[in-house]
Amino acid sequence: MGKILMVYASLSGNTEIVTDIIEGNLQQLGHEVVVKSFDFDVIEMDELADYDAVLVGTYTWDDGELPYEAEDFYIELEHADIEGKIFGAYGSADSFYDTFGLAIDLMADRARNLGADVLDERLKIDLMPEADDEERCANYAKKISQMIAGKNKVSA
Ligand SMILES: Cc1cc2nc3c(=O)[nH]c(=O)nc-3n(C[C@H](O)[C@H](O)[C@H](O)COP(=O)(O)O)c2cc1C
């Protein structure tokens, strides 16, 4: 069992729904989940150390860009100690765009470059999650759970 931070940006609510689904799945797997919003909460880089895993949810904006509310986090991440930290990026985007979900890749790539243990899967949900997306979210949560279990085993 682990303690997981989920922090998300959502303008029209899709990424928020995805966050809720993943949160529920993680709780079912026995994890403690803290959910924060880039809009309403302060996220200190120091607090990342308190979590076994950090999941960042973001929509994509403006030709493949991060939303402005997630930019500070993206920049400050560079000064955070996330080496070896389990990290995932997910969100809603629109496959109509050539730049489908690129903000999710930006976040995952940055964490990987900083030495985090980034989940290979970048969960990109096309607009509002549908029934098959719920299954993808459940699998995503399962993979994060397995990564936490694997790490706990090594350190035990
Ligand atoms: C002005 C504008 C620009 C957008 N640009 C992109 C984009 O470059 N790539 C992409 O995949 N989606 C793009 N989208 C789609 C959003 O990411 C998508 O609607 C997503 O579901 C919004 O998530 P939210 O409901 O969590 O805010 C854009 C949407 C708007 C309104």
Side-chain angles (χ1 to χ4, degrees):
M1 304 306 126
K3 189 173 173 192
I4 300 165
L5 173 67
M6 298 186 76
V7 52
Y8 73 94
S10 185
L11 192 68
S12 53
N14 295 333
T15 304
E16 187 171 26
I17 297 171
V18 177
T19 301
D20 287 348
I21 298 170
I22 297 172
E23 178 194 12
N25 291 135
L26 288 169
Q27 285 169 337
Q28 264 179 16
L29 291 164
H31 300 286
E32 180 189 343
V33 187
V34 175
V35 178
K36 295 196 174 193
S37 140
F38 283 120
D39 271 322
F40 304 115
D41 298 305
V42 177
I43 295 109
E44 303 284 356
M45 289 302 121
D46 287 353
E47 78 183 80
L48 302 187
D50 299 341
Y51 298 96
D52 296 295
V54 176
L55 305 181
V56 177
T58 179
Y59 63 97
T60 298
W61 194 247
D62 196 16
D63 208 14
E65 293 296 326
L66 281 166
Y68 77 93
E69 62 271 36
E71 271 174 13
D72 281 353
F73 180 88
Y74 181 79
I75 293 164
E76 286 170 18
L77 209 48
E78 204 153 341
H79 306 291
D81 179 15
I82 57 164
E83 208 173 323
K85 177 77 65 189
I86 296 170
F87 194 99
Y90 68 91
S92 172
D94 186 347
S95 61
F96 168 82
Y97 292 88
D98 292 338
T99 52
F100 181 52
L102 275 194
I104 297 163
D105 294 318
L106 281 171
M107 213 41 107
D109 287 342
R110 161 132 318 181
R112 174 159 294 161
N113 291 338
L114 293 167
D117 189 1
V118 181
L119 179 59
D120 284 334
E121 183 177 354
R122 292 149 186 212
L123 183 67
K124 298 179 180 178
I125 303 292
D126 203 0
L127 298 171
M128 215 198 296
E130 293 176 9
D132 57 333
D133 294 317
E134 295 203 16
E135 206 175 309
R136 292 173 67 208
C137 289
N139 281 329
Y140 186 84
K142 214 178 284 172
K143 281 183 198 157
I144 289 289
S145 191
Q146 282 164 354
M147 285 172 86
I148 293 172
K151 206 151 269 182
N152 286 346
K153 209 179 282 169
V154 170
S155 59

